[in-house]
């Protein structure tokens, strides 16, 4: 009965989402993890952004939080092989003992005192009952009262609309060749059918120094104001458009000029545009008017879900004479199809500027998903251009000649799709052609990797290999089966199965960027972690992604106290 009532509550929330009125009811707790749906790590790895959705209608809004990643990393267990790997007042827990319950953790533990030899210290170890729904050895860490007695892990909060679905971070682009500090977070919000946009500082400051979310909340009771909820006012564009219901997936072109949203009930992809100082501001004293809705792409298959931007080849930025229209790949729940959309800025007709410009998306081409027996119900999609980027980096070290970059542009990019009919990961790449840019951006799939039930999102990023170097991996979040699957694209095999808690929804990687003086072959990251947001029980898990550790592919921290939804209690 508990499961049935939970399903009824979630179904009711879905039905009410389109007409939910913000501002009514109880204000949400700003410092509690509550139905996390989106995670993003800042480019400098100083902050973790967590989007919390008011999914069970207990409160009148959702919440965006910023966490201090340096503080979180300092509280994670220190992996060891010998006592020499540990601080002076600690030893390596490498042998069975009464303190570790007969199971050594291979972590540094206190060598004396009340917590001597205890792998989890003040957090304590989870009970067998808790481990069923909350994997990970140690008890939950309260981000507001961390066990070291230091400051809260949360450095900023702001209220947002109810029923957000995701978040992306876009660095502020250079304007007229001048670098601009900071960036923007973009959140699709279903409750009021809007695109929230929020300015944040860059990583040159510490995670705590003067950090603030900027979305007009100071004069709007702590919540992002209407000026930062784009798509609600038809007067903001030349077509008299308002954002359709149920925005879901989100993607942005290089530099964030074009931002696209899928609408999971409308058969529509919407286009927002922002460019120049008027929209972006200078990031210091002005912050611009933000993105504005410009176009709705209709006549598409119903229920578009996933969307991913196709990376721009470096030759496009290096050669101003090249005409390039950014591409976006779209997946659908009700169609065995991948569609390619292209963005046109409409700034010029020939050599004459258009005033006003009327940007749009064009349905460039599509392909049928024939790799699976059925093929429809495709969810997350990810595009990875690491092979092309490595080629472009070599060109840069050789002087960045256009001929070299042009050759790199012909290298296909990898495409990964989470498909549910049947449950699988589709593995493919874009198709080469004879054009200047080299590929047509539409993929073909040559491999199908079986997945547990319910694959929903796909993320591509790095782990640390046994030799300490970067290795590429594909992460597939399987909501229904409570797993995160790690796929090795080089060896073309499933590498690890991470057992998660109930309802894993969001995933983000905390791995340092490649040092300016290094490349993928020589760079050795200092750490590699994954953060996974558990939607059902409202907590975050931290996963070890360093293959030199015995805990690779396992949850090593529970952030926030897990709490079952009210209707399941």
């Amino acid at each position: 009965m508990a499961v049935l009532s939970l399903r009824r509550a979630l179904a009711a929330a879905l039905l009410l989402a389109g007409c939910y009125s913000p501002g009514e009811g109880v204000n949400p707790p700003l410092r509690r993890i509550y139905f996390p749906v989106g995670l993003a790590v800042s480019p400098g790895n100083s902050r973790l952004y967590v989007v919390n959705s008011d999914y069970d209608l207990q409160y009148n809004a959702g919440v965006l939080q910023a966490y201090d990643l340096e503080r979180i990393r300092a509280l994670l267990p220190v992996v060891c092989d010998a006592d020499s790997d540990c601080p002076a007042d600690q030893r390596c827990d490498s042998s069975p003992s009464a303190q570790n319950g007969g199971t050594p953790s291979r972590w540094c533990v206190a060598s004396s005192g009340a917590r001597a030899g205890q792998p989890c210290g003040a957090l304590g170890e989870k009970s067998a009952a808790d481990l069923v729904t909350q994997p990970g050895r140690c008890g939950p860490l309260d981000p507001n009262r961390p066990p070291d007695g230091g400051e809260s892990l949360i450095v900023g909060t702001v209220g947002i609309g109810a029923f957000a679905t995701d978040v992306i971070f876009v660095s502020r682009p250079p304007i007229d060749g001048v670098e601009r500090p900071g960036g923007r977070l973009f959140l699709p919000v279903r409750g009021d059918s809007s695109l929230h946009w929020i300015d944040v500082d860059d990583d040159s400051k510490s995670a705590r120094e003067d950090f603030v979310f900027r979305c007009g909340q100071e004069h709007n009771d702590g919540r992002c104001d209407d000026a930062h909820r784009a798509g609600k006012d038809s007067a903001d564009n030349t077509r008299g458009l308002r954002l359709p219901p149920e925005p879901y997936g989100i993607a942005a072109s290089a530099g964030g000029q074009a931002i696209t949203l899928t609408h999971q009930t409308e058969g529509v992809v919407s286009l927002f545009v922002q460019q120049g100082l008027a929209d972006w501001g200078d990031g210091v004293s002005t912050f611009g008017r933000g993105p504005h809705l410009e176009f709705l792409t209709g006549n598409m298959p119903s229920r578009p879900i996933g969307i991913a931007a196709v990376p721009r080849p470096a030759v496009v930025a290096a050669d101003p004479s090249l005409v390039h229209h950014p591409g976006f790949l779209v997946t659908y729940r009700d169609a065995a199809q991948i569609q390619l959309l292209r963005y046109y800025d409409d700034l010029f007709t020939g050599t004459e500027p258009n005033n006003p410009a009327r940007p749009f998306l064009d349905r460039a081409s599509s392909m049928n998903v024939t790799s699976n027996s059925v093929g429809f119900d495709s969810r997350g999609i990810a595009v990875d251009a690491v092979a092309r980027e490595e080629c472009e980096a070599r060109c840069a070290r050789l002087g960045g000649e256009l001929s070299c970059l042009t050759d790199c542009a012909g290298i296909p990019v990898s495409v990964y799709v989470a498909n549910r009919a049947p449950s699988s990961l589709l593995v493919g790449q874009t198709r080469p052609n004879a054009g200047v840019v080299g590929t047509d951006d539409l993929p073909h799939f040559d491999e199908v990797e079986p997945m547990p039930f319910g694959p929903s999102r796909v993320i591509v990023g790095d782990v640390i290999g046994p030799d300490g170097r970067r290795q590429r991996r594909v992460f597939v979040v399987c909501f229904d089966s409570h797993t995160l699957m790690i796929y090795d694209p080089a060896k073309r095999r499933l590498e690890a199965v991470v057992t998660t808690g109930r309802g894993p929804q969001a995933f983000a990687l905390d791995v340092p960027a490649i040092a300016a003086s290094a490349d993928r072959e020589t760079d050795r990251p200092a750490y590699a972690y994954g953060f996974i947001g558990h939607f059902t029980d409202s907590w975050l898990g931290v996963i070890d992604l360093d293959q030199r550790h015995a805990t690779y592919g396992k949850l090593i921290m529970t952030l926030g106290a897990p709490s079952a939804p009210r209707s399941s209690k």
Side-chain angles (χ1 to χ4, degrees), residues 254 309-319 322-327 342 385 388-389 392 402 404-413 430 435-441:
V310 180
R312 180 182 64 184
V315 68
V316 173
D319 185 356
L322 286 179
V323 177
H324 177 257
H325 302 291
R342 289 208 180 277
R388 177 192 290 171
E389 291 166 357
E392 292 167 343
L402 287 179
C404 181
L405 293 174
T406 300
D407 290 341
C408 295
I411 297 176
V413 300
T430 56
V436 175
V437 173
T439 70
D440 69 1
D441 293 342

Side-chain angles (χ1 to χ4, degrees), residues 327-342:
F328 297 88
L329 296 173
V330 183
T331 64
Y332 300 89
R333 289 192 66 177
D334 289 351
Q337 185 179 120
I338 308 290
Q339 190 148 42
L340 172 65
L341 304 178
R342 289 208 180 277

Side-chain angles (χ1 to χ4, degrees), residues 38-39 94 114 130 155 160 203 206 244 355 482 551:
L39 302 175
S94 56
D130 285 340
V155 298
I160 57 175
D203 289 298
S206 72
N355 189 17
H482 313 163
T551 49

Side-chain angles (χ1 to χ4, degrees), residues 237-255:
N237 57 79
T238 61
R239 295 181 171 98
L241 301 174
R242 295 192 65 174
L243 194 67
E246 296 295 323
Y248 188 79
I250 183 169
S253 65

Side-chain angles (χ1 to χ4, degrees), residues 35 41-42 88 95 100 143 181 199 206 282 290 292 295 308 368 373 402 448 467 475-476 488 497 508 514 518 521 550:
F35 291 108
V41 171
S42 64
S95 302
N100 62 30
D199 281 298
S206 72
D282 63 14
H292 34 99
F295 192 74
N368 293 326
S373 58
L402 287 179
V448 178
D467 60 356
F475 303 88
V476 184
D488 184 341
V497 179
I514 296 175
E521 292 299 317

Side-chain angles (χ1 to χ4, degrees), residues 144-164:
N144 298 294
R145 289 179 292 275
D148 64 355
E151 294 180 286
S152 168
L153 307 183
I154 301 174
V155 298
T157 64
V158 68
I160 57 175
F163 310 112

Side-chain angles (χ1 to χ4, degrees), residues 310-396:
V310 180
R312 180 182 64 184
V315 68
V316 173
D319 185 356
S321 68
L322 286 179
V323 177
H324 177 257
H325 302 291
F328 297 88
L329 296 173
V330 183
T331 64
Y332 300 89
R333 289 192 66 177
D334 289 351
Q337 185 179 120
I338 308 290
Q339 190 148 42
L340 172 65
L341 304 178
R342 289 208 180 277
Y343 164 67
Y344 291 79
D345 59 24
D346 192 45
L347 293 177
F348 290 88
T349 299
T351 59
E352 296 298 319
N354 291 327
N355 189 17
R358 305 186 76 194
F360 62 95
L361 293 172
D362 176 62
R363 298 187 301 275
S365 56
S366 64
M367 52 85 63
N368 293 326
V369 177
T370 59
S371 305
N372 268 342
S373 58
V374 179
F376 66 86
D377 203 358
S378 295
R379 301 295 179 98
I381 180 170
V383 180
D384 184 31
V386 65
R388 177 192 290 171
E389 291 166 357
E390 288 177 355
C391 176
E392 292 167 343
R394 289 191 293 270
C395 292

